[in-house]
């Protein structure tokens, strides 16, 4: 009788940042969950608050499923190299980082000889979506592997979709975030020009939101973060600039043509350089405000 894959009994989560903290908390409602974080105190606090278990990397390596959510594929690669000798055949590594497709393919190839499957499974929806379990999860990798771990992804995701082979999840995520950046900056440009013409910004935004030019940025970001100058730390500008850079590299890899995506990536990099990496990404509108000599209030 051919043996099926081993059942999933334990999970381990690497990286308890703005996203990883609520994602690991939801995962722990489903099955026993080990947590590891570079700053170890965060793992201890997570265990106390959410019923997870703070673990060493040696313990993490023994889990049936390992999930990671780190800034970039480079940090994931560093941990993967450390864990590689101890990983168990039949286990699955799910990387929820907004990573690089080239790294996903390399990491899948690195793990395969150890009998470990890899899925790239980046997410969209922010820390609030993670808390509510309503993230969108875009998965690259084998369908059969996704079906084995689908309940884990559905513990924090409302929509979990396979979008293609290894690396496809990261590629889709990079396009998504570049579109978000494009919408944010172009809306800031539009509103700045409207303000210079003497239009009233709040009703202008309201009517855009009832019209065909609306977007997630117009509906969720301007009234809550920009008009009131909150720019509350949620999703770092440096991470968004990184994602747009990945989208641009993907375009170049396939010899595509995408001047709007390229321009967006360049502008987000410029905003990151002038404003800093750690501010919330919505603060990028300040660059547009400076160009136009107006404040979007
Ligand atoms: P945060 O900056 O909040 O957290 C980063 C995490 O990575 C922390 O746990 C940090 O540990 C850890 N880390 C950083 N460097 C290393 C390293 N060299 N080795 C090991 N661990 C490291 O990031 P987010 O949670 O916001 O983002 C994580 C990923 O999710 C990113 O790829 C981002 O693009 C993506 N994402 C973010 C969203 C958001 O709204 N924030 C939404 C969707 C996707 P320590 O605590 O020690 O600093």
């Amino acid at each position: 009788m051919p043996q099926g894959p081993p059942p999933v009994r334990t999970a381990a989560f690497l990286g308890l940042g703005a996203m990883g903290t609520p994602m690991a908390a939801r995962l722990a409602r489903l099955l026993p969950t080990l947590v590891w974080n570079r700053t170890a105190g965060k793992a201890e606090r997570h265990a106390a608050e959410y019923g997870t278990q703070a673990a060493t990397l040696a313990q993490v390596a023994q889990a049936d499923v390992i999930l990671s959510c780190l800034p970039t594929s480079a940090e994931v690669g560093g941990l993967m190299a450390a864990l590689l000798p101890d990983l168990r055949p039949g286990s699955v590594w799910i990387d929820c980082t907004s990573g690089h497709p080239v790294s996903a393919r390399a990491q899948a190839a690195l793990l395969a000889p150890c009998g470990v499957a890899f899925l790239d499974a980046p997410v969209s929806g922010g820390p609030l979506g993670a808390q509510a379990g309503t993230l969108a999860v875009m998965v690259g990798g084998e369908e059969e592997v996704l079906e084995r771990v689908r309940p884990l992804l559905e513990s924090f995701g409302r929509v979990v979709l396979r979008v293609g082979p290894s690396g496809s999840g990261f590629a889709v995520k990079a396009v998504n975030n570049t579109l978000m950046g494009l919408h944010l900056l172009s809306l800031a440009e539009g509103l700045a020009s409207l303000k210079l013409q003497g239009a009233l910004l709040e009703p202008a935004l309201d009517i855009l939101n009832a019209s065909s030019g609306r977007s997630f940025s117009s509906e969720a970001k301007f009234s809550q973060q920009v008009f009131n100058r909150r720019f509350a730390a949620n999703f770092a500008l440096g991470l968004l600039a990184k994602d747009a850079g990945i989208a641009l590299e993907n375009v170049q890899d396939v010899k595509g043509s995408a001047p709007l995506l390229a321009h967006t990536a360049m502008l987000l990099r410029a905003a990151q350089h002038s404003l800093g990496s750690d501010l919330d990404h919505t603060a990028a509108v300040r660059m547009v405000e400076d160009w136009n000599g107006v404040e979007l209030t």
Side-chain angles (χ1 to χ4, degrees):
M1 280 263 289
Q3 274 198 331
V8 176
R9 294 204 179 90
T10 57
F13 204 104
L14 300 168
L16 301 173
M19 293 304 289
T21 294
M23 289 165 74
R26 290 200 65 96
L27 194 60
R29 297 186 192 180
L30 183 72
L31 80 176
T33 301
L34 306 174
V35 287
W36 179 92
N37 194 68
R38 178 180 62 174
T39 309
K42 279 195 199 169
E44 304 287 348
R45 285 195 293 280
H46 199 276
E49 194 166 343
Y50 301 110
T52 51
Q53 187 191 325
T56 61
L57 283 181
Q59 290 170 315
V60 164
Q62 297 307 304
D64 298 323
V65 177
I66 296 171
L67 298 97
S68 43
C69 191
L70 300 171
T72 72
S73 289
E75 289 83 23
V76 177
L79 286 179
M80 198 175 279
L83 289 170
L84 196 62
D86 301 320
L87 291 175
R88 290 174 39 200
S91 61
V92 181
W93 188 306
I94 306 174
D95 187 19
C96 299
T97 303
S98 299
H100 204 298
V102 171
S103 303
R105 291 190 281 274
Q107 290 170 353
L110 181 71
L111 294 174
C114 311
V116 179
F118 179 87
L119 296 176
D120 46 303
V123 299
S124 180
L128 290 179
Q131 273 168 35
T134 58
L135 294 176
V137 189
M138 38 212 105
V139 184
E142 296 294 325
E143 179 84 53
E144 169 271 328
V145 178
L146 168 59
E147 292 316 317
R148 268 163 63 200
V149 300
R150 180 178 282 281
L152 281 71
L153 295 177
E154 287 180 344
S155 72
F156 48 73
R158 179 183 287 160
V159 180
V160 178
L161 278 183
R162 179 177 178 270
V163 293
S166 216
S168 305
F170 288 162
V172 172
K173 173 68 184 173
V175 168
N176 176 75
N177 278 21
T178 313
L179 292 175
M180 185 179 75
L182 172 62
H183 298 159
L184 181 82
L185 292 173
S186 54
L187 179 59
E189 289 181 3
L191 291 178
S193 69
L194 290 173
K195 184 155 184 173
L196 289 169
Q197 286 167 48
L200 301 172
L201 288 194
E202 292 209 10
L205 183 66
D206 287 346
I207 203 68
L208 287 175
N209 282 336
S211 306
S212 49
R214 68 185 178 276
S215 65
F216 175 72
S217 293
S218 72
E219 291 180 328
K221 294 294 174 185
F222 270 70
S223 57
Q224 292 162 29
Q225 301 284 357
V226 179
F227 285 174
N228 58 16
R229 316 310 284 169
R230 276 186 73 219
F231 302 114
N234 190 340
F235 175 48
L237 177 55
L239 291 178
L240 180 59
K242 172 252 320 179
D243 293 334
I246 292 173
L248 186 54
E249 281 179 44
N250 293 342
V251 170
Q252 289 161 348
D253 283 350
V254 297
K255 301 198 176 3
S257 176
L260 285 177
L261 298 188
H263 217 72
T264 304
M266 189 190 73
L267 291 176
L268 290 170
R269 238 354 139 200
Q272 178 192 8
H273 285 310
S274 64
L275 297 162
S277 297
D278 296 334
L279 287 182
D280 190 64
H281 67 286
T282 51
V285 305
R286 287 187 192 153
M287 181 176 71
V288 178
E289 293 177 332
D290 284 349
W291 296 338
N292 288 280
V294 293
E295 198 168 83
L296 297 178
T297 49

